[in-house]
């Protein structure tokens, strides 16, 4: 079986949302989560989606991450119209092109840090020698080269999130999505994780998209998108001239 692991030189096309709407049905009531979202997320950027609880930011992240589907509008991720994919194709696309970082880490407790990072590569069919090399490089990059044999229960919260970041990058995705990645960390550790994610974003040439309330995450952003009542309230780009040329 041939491993499907992306080249680190691939560049993600902008994520494009045009007229995107999503409504959830709760009992007999329709609850609009997103209304007519028009948004372009640029490649190789550190993009933060912010908003109060219930604003729709997590729904937006789930749509971009191909975890959910919009009711209306056009959604392009990596140059592909993901709405037109069937469930199997969407699952393959998600596995091959996207990486995920969760606020609760979502590490497998019975596996070591090394094995947690290695797991996506095993699923991709990568040869053992290549896997060992890739995992070793990633653990070194996130500062855990000496902790590969430890299980999650033997690691601090910050160390677990570092493992989660390495795992998200294992298959060289073009886009990494993170839902409140610093929410369960103290302020010092959260700042270190933000700095690490920024460094990995530049080193691995990958786009990062976060949902977050954390002011420090917002400060680190290239692009900041604020969602309010299911609509885009504002978009701020750190360097508009560079962004326009992307």
């Amino acid at each position: 079986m041939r491993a499907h692991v992306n080249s680190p030189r691939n560049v993600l096309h902008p994520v494009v949302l045009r007229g995107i709407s999503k409504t959830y049905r709760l009992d007999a009531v329709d609850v609009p989560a997103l209304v007519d979202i028009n948004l372009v997320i640029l490649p190789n950027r550190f993009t933060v989606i912010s908003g109060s609880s219930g604003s729709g930011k997590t729904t937006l992240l789930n749509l971009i991450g191909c975890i959910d589907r919009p009711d209306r509008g056009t959604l392009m991720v990596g140059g592909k119209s993901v709405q037109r994919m069937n469930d199997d194709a969407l699952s393959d696309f998600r596995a091959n092109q996207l990486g995920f970082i969760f606020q609760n880490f979502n590490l497998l407790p019975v596996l070591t840090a090394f094995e947690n990072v290695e797991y996506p590569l095993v699923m991709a069919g990568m040869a053992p020698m290549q896997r060992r090399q890739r995992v070793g490089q990633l653990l070194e990059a996130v500062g855990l080269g000496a902790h590969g044999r430890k299980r999650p229960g033997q690691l601090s919260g910050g160390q677990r999130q570092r493992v989660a970041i390495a795992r998200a990058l294992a298959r060289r995705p073009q886009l990494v999505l993170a839902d409140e990645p610093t929410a369960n960390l103290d302020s010092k550790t959260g700042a270190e994780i933000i700095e690490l994610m920024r460094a990995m974003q530049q080193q691995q040439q990958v786009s990062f998209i976060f949902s977050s309330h954390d002011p420090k995450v917002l400060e680190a952003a290239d692009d900041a998108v604020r969602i309010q009542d299911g609509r885009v309230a504002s978009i701020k780009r750190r360097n508009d001239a560079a962004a326009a040329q992307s």
Side-chain angles (χ1 to χ4, degrees), residues 116-151:
N116 267 283
V117 178
E118 183 186 34
Y119 186 73
L121 301 177
V122 173
M123 298 301 292
M126 179 181 279
M129 185 176 294
Q130 290 177 290
R131 294 201 308 261
R132 287 193 292 271
Q133 182 179 17
R134 177 67 177 157
V135 175
Q137 289 172 345
L138 285 169
L139 287 176
E140 287 291 341
V142 300
L144 292 179
H147 298 276
R149 295 184 178 181
K150 293 182 179 179
R151 289 188 169 85

Side-chain angles (χ1 to χ4, degrees), residues 157-226:
Q159 288 173 327
R160 292 181 209 177
Q161 196 61 296
R162 288 171 184 265
V163 175
I165 292 168
R167 181 185 58 189
L169 293 166
R171 291 183 67 168
R172 302 188 192 276
Q174 297 187 61
L175 175 64
V176 172
L177 298 105
D179 187 12
E180 300 281 1
T182 60
N184 290 336
L185 304 174
D186 62 66
S187 59
K188 179 176 181 296
T189 303
E192 292 171 352
I193 291 299
I194 294 166
E195 184 178 351
L196 172 63
M197 288 189 292
R198 170 54 106 178
M200 297 302 289
Q201 179 258 321
Q202 295 172 343
Q203 182 187 114
Q204 300 288 321
Q205 298 180 15
V206 63
S207 302
F208 272 68
I209 303 177
F210 307 89
S211 69
S212 183
H213 291 96
D214 190 338
K216 291 181 179 178
V217 176
L218 288 167
E219 287 173 11
D222 293 318
D223 301 325
V225 179
R226 186 168 65 86

